[in-house]
Amino acid sequence: MLEPKLPRSVLILNIIMIVLILVICALVINLVYSPSILGEQTTASTEATTVSEVEMQTQEAETSATSQAATSVSMTKRSSSGASSDLPEDDDSLGYSKENFKNDLFIGDSITTGLHLYNKLDVANVAASVGYTPYGAYSKYCDFHNTTALEYANSMKPDRIFIMLGSNALPSTASTEKHYEQLVDKLKSGCPNSDIYCISVTPVAKNADTDVTNAMVNEFNGVIKKICQQNDIVYLDFHSEMMGADGYANPELLAQDGVHFKNSTYDILLEYIEDNIS
């Protein structure tokens, strides 16, 4: 006896149900195991990050230790050798003794400020200012002291006073000469026991970055010489020491602007002064 066949629609429905059951099982399995996998991945990522941070911290610590060790060695070397940024007063290679100027005063403009800025002399020995003129020296405060150069000189009472002014007042006029004379008179009055020296205005290089010419410089140096003769004070002709064969300042002695001194030129200046004063 033949068994009755299931209708086609029933078979299709059964197949669909089986497929749905399989899909549901797959979703359940995925939901159950995904948090575990995700957790493992997160843990692994955290561990990797931690390891990386530890390695970076270790490297930074090693770098810091190396840097500190190098600094320590460098400081030890400087300490043991007695070296410093200050120029030693007893260095024979300088050509002059800083000690010889400890009771002296230099009055001047931006060129003169270099005596302190390049550590050739102590700040106590320099009363100068950028743009200073003979008039400014007794009417305007200087760069390093809260007073005018004249007032500072009167309070210091130096053994010797060196005036190095004039380039900012060029071209020379009657008023410039008058102000220079007044500065000398005021210094003689306020510091009667100080020896006064007037240093020439220095020449400029051929392509100097300035409107000042060497003709102007020479003219005003003539004025300074006359004032020195009238007041029986010494004129120091450092101008001639700086001149080159071409009629301009030796460029090897000047900075790129062709006006201001190089570091080593201050050594030459101080050596020249020592050699030319009693």
Side-chain angles (χ1 to χ4, degrees):
M1 184 174 179
L2 296 173
E3 295 179 357
K5 295 182 179 181
L6 293 174
R8 183 185 296 265
S9 60
V10 174
L11 290 174
I12 293 173
L13 182 59
N14 288 336
I15 292 171
I16 293 173
M17 290 180 65
I18 292 170
V19 170
L20 288 173
I21 291 170
L22 292 173
V23 170
I24 292 171
C25 290
L27 290 173
V28 171
I29 292 171
N30 185 58
L31 290 173
V32 171
Y33 289 100
S34 289
S36 175
I37 295 172
L38 181 60
E40 293 175 356
Q41 291 176 343
T42 303
T43 301
S45 175
T46 302
E47 292 176 351
T49 302
T50 302
V51 171
S52 177
E53 291 177 351
V54 170
E55 291 177 349
M56 289 178 63
Q57 291 173 356
T58 302
Q59 291 176 351
E60 290 175 355
E62 292 175 351
T63 301
S64 176
T66 302
S67 176
Q68 290 176 355
T71 302
S72 177
V73 170
S74 177
M75 291 178 66
T76 301
K77 286 182 178 179
R78 290 200 299 268
S79 177
S80 62
S81 64
S84 70
S85 60
D86 293 338
L87 288 174
E89 296 178 0
D90 57 351
D91 188 347
D92 294 336
S93 65
L94 292 179
Y96 73 95
S97 173
K98 187 175 180 179
E99 180 72 12
N100 289 343
F101 295 96
K102 68 178 182 178
N103 296 319
D104 299 336
L105 180 64
F106 284 76
I107 296 176
D109 49 34
S110 57
I111 292 178
T112 309
T113 63
L115 286 168
H116 168 59
L117 297 177
Y118 283 110
N119 201 29
K120 306 302 180 180
L121 298 176
D122 294 333
V123 67
N125 304 115
V126 181
S129 181
V130 176
Y132 238 8
T133 63
Y135 174 73
Y138 59 84
S139 64
K140 298 179 181 179
Y141 281 8
C142 54
D143 285 354
F144 307 129
H145 311 286
N146 192 29
T147 183
T148 67
L150 174 64
E151 292 169 342
Y152 184 77
N154 290 342
S155 63
M156 179 184 179
K157 296 293 190 293
D159 291 343
R160 299 177 297 190
I161 299 174
F162 298 93
I163 303 173
M164 197 171 179
L165 287 165
S167 60
N168 291 313
L170 300 180
S172 175
T173 63
S175 62
T176 305
E177 180 176 350
K178 176 183 176 182
H179 292 149
Y180 202 107
E181 289 177 331
Q182 289 180 340
L183 174 61
V184 170
D185 289 341
K186 292 176 184 294
L187 287 170
K188 289 175 64 178
S189 175
C191 305
N193 296 321
S194 301
D195 293 325
I196 299 176
Y197 300 84
C198 295
I199 303 175
S200 61
V201 178
T202 51
V204 298
K206 188 172 185 178
N207 297 313
D209 184 18
T210 178
D211 293 330
V212 173
T213 66
N214 283 326
M216 297 178 186
V217 171
N218 292 333
E219 180 182 359
F220 192 67
N221 280 337
V223 171
I224 298 175
K225 285 181 184 179
K226 182 178 72 173
I227 294 173
C228 288
Q229 291 170 354
Q230 292 172 346
N231 290 274
D232 194 26
I233 57 181
V234 177
Y235 172 79
L236 294 173
D237 184 18
F238 191 59
H239 176 280
S240 298
E241 294 293 309
M242 295 188 63
M243 287 296 290
D246 60 353
Y248 295 90
N250 182 349
E252 294 182 359
L253 300 176
L254 299 177
Q256 289 185 348
D257 64 2
V259 177
H260 294 88
F261 290 3
K262 285 184 177 179
N263 186 329
S264 58
T265 306
Y266 289 100
D267 300 334
I268 299 172
L269 169 63
L270 294 174
E271 182 179 1
Y272 168 83
I273 292 173
E274 282 191 335
D275 292 342
N276 287 273
I277 61 176
S278 56

